[in-house]
Amino acid sequence: MRPHLTRPIVVLLAVAGAAGLTACGGAADRYGFVATLGRDTVSLESVARNGNTVTSDEVDRFPRVRQRHTVATLDAAGVITHLAMDIREPSGATPAARERHVVADVGADSVRITVTDSSGTQHRAFPVTAGTPMMPHVSQMYSLIELYMDAALARGRATHLAAGDSVHVNQYYVDREFDQFPLHEGWVHPLADGKVELWHDWLSGIGLATFDPAGRMLKYSGDGTTYKVDVTRLTAAPDVAGFGARMVEAERAAGAVKPLSPRDTTRGQVGKVAIMVDYGRPYARGRMLVGNVIPYGEVWRTGANAATQFTTSAHITLAGLDLPAGTYTLWTLPHKEGDVQLIVNRETGQWGTAYDEEKNLGMKPMVVETSATPIEQFTISVEATDGTHGALVIRWGPFRWSAPIVVK
């Protein structure tokens, strides 16, 4: 895990021309963003900016398809003071989920959020921290991420923050997480050569953006996070309506909405011992896995989302580690040299970023092999060889990692 996620330490260097994100009057500046996850396009956005008004039409899949029309008004510092968003979720389970209107207003002492749908209207308000930009966060809307970072950079310049300081931002939610979370904190970390890091409470890891000298976000990479999306700026407004219609059609043709990394359970039997593994199953989507999606030298959750749970009904050894009957979590640690270590942890029920080394039961090497046929979806299996021996086998893409199981 990245040690600085719990205590962000960054270098603040001015991004040349970042104030250019606040467009002057005249003809609207039209552009867009496309986000891909491997070979899959997961969001597309068309943006028009005229003075302090930014209008966006966007569609994404996360995992349900959502379509949004958003109008945001910015103040001179780049902070969104008023935001109105119409959200349509064609496959929403209820009428309230399918259509809603969200309004957010940032005042001197609070941010007020109103959500109206078929069930009525909800109001929420949060206090504003003086001097800290209050910015909205919506998963997959990269025009808002661009504005989020621009407001932080403007704040850093206005307060003459020294090199080595971070720029603190408070974020609020206007979609998806609205009913679950209050304000969160974020930090924007400008680096050299137009690079800007983004860290916030919702994001597991550090996002990295690239800005041009005029202050436009050209790229955004989630390689340093658990949501490894690649985002590119488009110089012309894309056909969001047409692409959105195709996404909706594909969603309806596929039937039930499937998460991007579905949860699954595998069960196996070694002799009389029943073993169960509960884990998230991401897809490769054309990505390089070990060394990219799975970084070298970092503890990996061995799947996606919540930590991978391993349950044995009786006393066994796994990779030589002594495991009495019970439930544990499994983690892996790959190295650039090619070896991989299996970690068994006593803590259970945690999210996959909440790794606590102090609760490790132990760490042992795995057998590392290459499969002749790559596996698209991450797969864990329990394979018995006789009444007292078997193996835990982990496959994804070209790799095959395994650890022996011995019944005590």
Side-chain angles (χ1 to χ4, degrees), residues 51-371:
N52 66 341
T53 301
V54 179
T55 304
S56 164
D57 289 287
E58 186 263 1
V59 61
D60 68 64
R61 180 170 67 90
F62 195 73
R64 293 184 185 275
V65 174
R66 293 197 183 181
Q67 299 162 308
R68 300 184 184 85
H69 176 75
T70 307
V71 179
T73 303
L74 284 64
D75 65 13
V79 174
I80 295 176
T81 57
H82 176 80
L83 181 145
M85 180 182 292
D86 291 301
I87 305 164
R88 180 172 179 264
E89 186 178 292
S91 62
T94 65
R98 288 192 283 270
E99 302 276 351
R100 57 192 175 279
H101 180 69
V102 182
V103 174
D105 286 292
V106 177
D109 58 356
S110 66
V111 55
R112 299 176 302 281
I113 302 173
T114 303
V115 177
T116 303
D117 56 32
S118 62
S119 66
T121 299
Q122 302 176 57
H123 300 278
R124 297 187 76 178
F126 304 100
V128 168
T129 302
T132 301
M134 295 283 296
M135 295 296 288
H137 174 77
V138 176
S139 303
Q140 304 285 38
M141 277 194 69
Y142 294 96
S143 66
L144 291 184
I145 289 179
E146 180 183 57
L147 294 172
Y148 183 118
M149 290 190 281
D150 181 48
L153 295 171
R155 173 65 181 169
R157 291 190 301 272
T159 56
H160 306 289
L161 290 179
D165 291 340
S166 61
V167 186
H168 182 218
V169 181
N170 279 336
Q171 67 184 40
Y172 55 92
Y173 299 99
V174 293
D175 187 22
R176 288 196 171 95
E177 296 84 1
F178 171 77
D179 291 326
Q180 301 177 39
F181 300 109
L183 298 182
H184 275 167
E185 293 185 303
W187 286 265
V188 172
H189 320 303
L191 306 173
D193 301 324
K195 305 294 186 182
V196 181
E197 289 183 335
L198 174 65
W199 181 88
H200 57 77
D201 290 341
W202 182 89
L203 186 67
S204 177
I206 297 176
L208 179 65
T210 302
F211 283 77
D212 69 8
R216 294 181 289 259
M217 188 174 77
L218 302 179
K219 296 179 181 179
Y220 174 86
S221 172
D223 264 359
T225 76
T226 54
Y227 188 55
K228 298 182 181 295
V229 68
D230 286 309
V231 181
T232 303
R233 186 185 193 92
L234 304 174
T235 56
D239 178 16
V240 171
F243 182 76
R246 292 191 293 274
M247 288 184 79
V248 172
E249 181 181 359
E251 181 175 61
R252 288 173 174 165
V257 174
K258 298 178 181 179
L260 297 175
S261 298
R263 200 75 184 172
D264 203 352
T265 301
T266 186
R267 299 174 187 272
Q269 193 96 7
V270 180
K272 296 182 179 181
V273 179
I275 295 173
M276 181 182 70
V277 184
D278 177 84
Y279 66 113
R281 302 189 62 194
Y283 292 87
R285 294 187 165 88
R287 298 174 290 175
M288 185 178 77
L289 301 177
V290 182
N292 178 30
V293 175
I294 308 168
Y296 290 123
E298 296 187 20
V299 173
W300 181 46
R301 69 183 73 191
T302 315
N305 302 322
T308 295
Q309 311 285 310
F310 179 93
T311 301
T312 174
S313 66
H315 198 162
I316 64 169
T317 63
L318 174 62
L321 294 171
D322 199 54
L323 271 63
T327 299
Y328 308 85
T329 52
L330 302 182
W331 311 75
T332 43
L333 177 59
H335 299 282
K336 195 170 185 179
E337 295 76 15
D339 59 305
V340 177
Q341 291 175 300
L342 175 69
I343 301 169
V344 180
N345 191 280
R346 295 183 181 88
E347 186 176 8
T348 60
Q350 71 271 44
W351 194 247
T353 56
Y355 169 67
D356 185 350
E357 183 179 5
E358 293 184 359
K359 296 179 180 178
N360 282 353
L361 184 144
M363 177 187 301
K364 290 288 185 177
M366 302 190 75
V367 177
V368 177
E369 301 171 292
T370 300
S371 299

